Amino acid sequence: MIEKSIKKLDIFKWTDKDSQKTIYGYDQEWYCTHWQRQSGCGPTAASSIMYYLNHTRSIAVAGLNISKENCLSLMEEVWEYVTPTERGIPTTEMFYEAVLVYAKSKGINLEYNFCDLPEEIALRPKLLEVLDFLDMALTNDAPVAFLNLSNGEEKNLESWHWVIIVSIEYSEDGRSVFINILDAGMVKKIDLLLWYNTTTLGGGFVYFTTLPK
């Protein structure tokens, strides 16, 4: 089995002072309005990525020390740029373009990489291409934003939803593929092969790397 992971998962790990529960990363349920909580998975995923880049690449964004208050501060800041439409943020292009605008506003130079899985099966990349993409991202210590438009038969994944991939474990022949994602303050294990074979609408993947100013 081949295993790849971001280098510092514990950067996302913290203890909520009220509930004393261990939390991993960000949760869209922390947003203040109903609409934000309903549609905020995209900006929440973007906030997670910017937070991680802040701690591993020394870029300047809000929410340096992780807590619910600081997370929400960054989430609200990112929301102003990564703003859902009535259909949320249903494409990787909408996502990475919005993140780039936010980064530029902070004086951060980012490069994006994406891999789309279209609705039409004939147009989809081969599984090994997807694995190469995810392997490259995690090798470069970059969390991956994962857009899932249809979860297919993978019940541990919500449809029409953005999450963050932090690790992958797969066989070289692609017959077994599992990822760990951050979603709703938890680490969840997902059968990516099952998703790939059964999703009806597809989705996509995006990661970012920092460039010199």
Side-chain angles (χ1 to χ4, degrees):
M1 296 292 285
I2 299 171
E3 298 181 16
K4 293 292 175 71
S5 174
I6 59 173
K7 294 177 181 178
K8 297 181 179 181
L9 177 60
D10 279 351
I11 285 177
F12 285 115
K13 183 180 179 181
W14 59 285
T15 301
D16 180 68
K17 63 183 180 182
D18 296 323
S19 66
Q20 293 301 304
K21 291 183 179 179
T22 298
I23 308 294
Y24 279 91
Y26 292 33
D27 187 345
Q28 72 190 76
E29 290 297 322
W30 297 337
Y31 273 119
C32 297
T33 70
H34 174 73
W35 170 243
Q36 287 178 307
R37 292 190 295 271
Q38 184 180 49
S39 64
C41 57
T44 301
S47 298
S48 296
I49 287 174
M50 297 307 299
Y51 171 80
Y52 191 81
L53 293 179
N54 181 64
H55 278 265
T56 57
R57 276 77 163 180
S58 297
I59 61 177
V61 297
L64 181 60
N65 299 311
I66 195 164
S67 66
K68 185 175 179 179
E69 292 77 15
N70 282 338
C71 288
L72 183 56
S73 175
L74 179 56
M75 288 163 62
E76 293 286 5
E77 183 177 276
V78 170
W79 176 279
E80 296 302 314
Y81 297 85
V82 188
T83 310
T85 66
E86 290 184 359
R87 299 179 67 243
I89 302 176
T91 69
T92 57
E93 182 178 16
M94 288 178 64
F95 182 83
Y96 64 68
E97 285 188 347
V99 171
L100 291 179
V101 173
Y102 168 72
K104 185 176 181 181
S105 77
K106 306 295 290 185
I108 302 165
N109 193 10
L110 292 184
E111 181 177 67
Y112 68 91
N113 300 270
F114 73 97
C115 176
D116 283 336
L117 202 77
E119 179 178 356
E120 188 174 340
I121 294 177
L123 298 178
R124 294 179 182 180
K126 301 296 184 183
L127 176 63
L128 292 181
E129 294 178 54
V130 176
L131 295 182
D132 284 345
F133 179 87
L134 297 178
D135 189 294
M136 179 62 71
L138 296 169
T139 297
N140 285 304
D141 195 25
V144 181
F146 172 25
L147 170 62
N148 164 47
L149 296 174
S150 159
N151 65 314
E153 295 179 12
E154 173 48 84
K155 304 303 182 186
N156 205 27
L157 192 61
E158 292 185 37
S159 291
W160 216 266
H161 194 44
W162 285 94
V163 296
I164 296 295
I165 298 174
V166 294
S167 67
I168 187 169
E169 177 182 333
Y170 64 97
S171 59
E172 201 163 353
D173 60 8
R175 294 184 179 181
S176 173
V177 185
F178 291 93
I179 56 173
N180 281 327
I181 65 170
L182 299 186
D183 185 28
M186 297 179 285
V187 180
K188 299 179 181 180
K189 189 172 185 178
I190 303 297
D191 187 335
L192 190 66
L193 179 61
L194 179 62
W195 175 81
Y196 176 88
N197 286 331
T198 61
T199 180
T200 56
L201 298 176
F205 308 88
V206 182
Y207 73 91
F208 300 90
T209 54
T210 56
L211 298 172
K213 291 184 179 180

